Amino acid sequence: MDTKVIALANQKGGVGKTTTALNLAAVLAAKGKKVLLVDSDPQGNASSGVGVFRSSEDKNLYSCFTGARETQDCILKTNVKHLSVLPASIDLVGVEIELISQNQREKKLQSVLRPVRGLYQYVLIDCPPSLGILTINSLTAADSVLIPLQCEYFAMEGLAQLIQTIRKVKKNLNRGLFIEGLVLTMYDRRNRLTHSVASEIQDHFGDQVFKTVIPRNVRLSESPSHGQTIIEYDGQCSGAKAYKELGKEFLKKQQQGRGV
């Protein structure tokens, strides 16, 4: 099975990155694709968002990083058919320090994912909101990067830095890395600023911006606290409809371009 690995990255927190990772994963799974969600953020929000709350078991990404467990042993099924998760744990905070002295430290996640690469059609990595070693690992392991961007005044702030980091990783660590696209999140149609930010981003990035925008939606922010994706929690709300549309657009893009 051909596998495409996509890192969802933005060092700015609160931009809908984890929401996009887990709901896009759920939509792709609902369409019959075998999907693995990798939670590379020590906060573990993508894990709890698919119903995998912190447990005493050491079945998590940290155990894979340290070599304490095999990758296959740490992957857990979720309530969504075809969707599995490699959960995070708070121990991931220590990975930055532990990897400093190791050779090939930027390629650790690539090694962790190698044994399972052929088992899934899509692997979505939820990166932490920083440009530290965990995000560098995610970009090195990925085929492409999906950038969720909040439709707010500071949206462009930090984006140049992220793109510069992606270019450095491409040059030095992962020649094949490319930007899958930008997804506009927290879109408020009544807000004039939202429209001007969206059009500025579209002017800058053109076809790289997904046409589907994700609206501000209370149900979207509620669903993770119930350990459910928006598809399970309220499949008819505007947030769910938007992610279903994004999934459709994403798959169409895969057929047209460098997709699976």
Side-chain angles (χ1 to χ4, degrees):
M1 189 185 293
D2 281 340
T3 303
K4 184 164 189 180
V5 181
I6 301 157
L8 284 94
N10 191 328
Q11 77 274 30
K12 238 172 119 10
V15 298
K17 176 179 53 59
T18 300
T19 303
T20 299
L22 60 92
N23 289 311
L24 179 58
V27 167
L28 294 175
K31 288 183 176 293
K33 307 293 181 187
K34 285 201 77 180
V35 183
L36 174 64
L37 178 62
V38 178
D39 192 349
S40 180
D41 184 347
Q43 294 174 85
N45 292 337
S47 307
S48 58
V50 289
V52 176
F53 294 91
R54 297 196 196 289
S55 66
S56 56
E57 282 189 77
D58 57 349
K59 291 185 175 182
N60 53 53
L61 183 56
Y62 179 75
S63 298
C64 299
F65 269 125
T66 59
R69 277 187 178 270
E70 296 292 319
T71 308
Q72 288 96 321
D73 296 343
C74 297
I75 291 172
L76 307 174
K77 283 191 161 66
T78 71
N79 292 327
V80 178
K81 197 179 175 185
H82 304 305
L83 176 59
S84 301
V85 63
L86 178 49
S89 71
I90 197 67
D91 297 326
L92 272 178
V93 169
V95 161
E96 306 258 345
I97 298 153
E98 289 169 41
L99 290 181
I100 276 172
S101 58
Q102 290 192 23
N103 286 336
Q104 303 276 295
R105 62 179 178 269
E106 299 91 352
K107 298 190 174 181
K108 201 75 182 165
L109 183 56
Q110 194 177 60
S111 307
V112 166
L113 294 179
R114 196 170 288 127
V116 299
R117 247 195 107 113
L119 304 177
Y120 301 91
Q121 282 157 292
Y122 294 102
V123 175
L124 271 59
I125 308 171
D126 185 36
C127 299
S130 73
L131 292 177
I133 196 78
L134 285 168
T135 296
I136 301 297
N137 260 270
S138 300
L139 295 174
T140 304
D143 299 309
S144 66
V145 194
L146 191 63
I147 305 171
L149 265 187
Q150 194 176 358
C151 287
E152 303 226 328
Y153 183 68
F154 293 115
M156 304 292 276
E157 196 182 84
L159 185 57
Q161 195 186 357
L162 174 61
I163 287 169
Q164 199 178 6
T165 302
I166 292 166
R167 282 184 185 143
K168 280 182 185 168
V169 169
K170 184 180 171 76
K171 186 183 173 190
N172 301 309
L173 297 162
N174 182 2
R175 289 288 165 93
L177 186 66
F178 66 97
I179 294 176
E180 187 75 44
L182 291 86
V183 178
L184 300 179
T185 62
M186 303 183 184
Y187 196 91
D188 184 351
R189 291 182 194 285
R190 297 162 303 177
N191 187 326
R192 198 182 297 171
L193 181 63
T194 295
H195 291 282
S196 67
V197 170
S199 81
E200 189 183 342
I201 292 164
Q202 274 150 353
D203 288 347
H204 267 80
F205 295 96
D207 287 347
Q208 284 188 305
V209 184
F210 279 86
K211 289 182 174 61
T212 307
V213 295
I214 309 301
R216 278 198 178 279
N217 180 234
V218 176
R219 307 296 273 168
L220 270 180
S221 40
E222 285 174 357
S223 62
S225 63
H226 296 269
Q228 291 182 321
T229 67
I230 195 62
I231 310 304
E232 304 160 89
Y233 184 65
D234 184 352
Q236 295 308 309
C237 71
S238 62
K241 285 174 181 169
Y243 276 112
K244 286 175 189 172
E245 202 53 47
L246 180 66
K248 217 184 286 179
E249 189 183 348
F250 173 85
L251 287 172
K252 193 176 173 188
K253 202 173 175 184
Q254 303 311 299
Q255 288 165 354
Q256 291 168 346
R258 297 180 260 192
V260 176

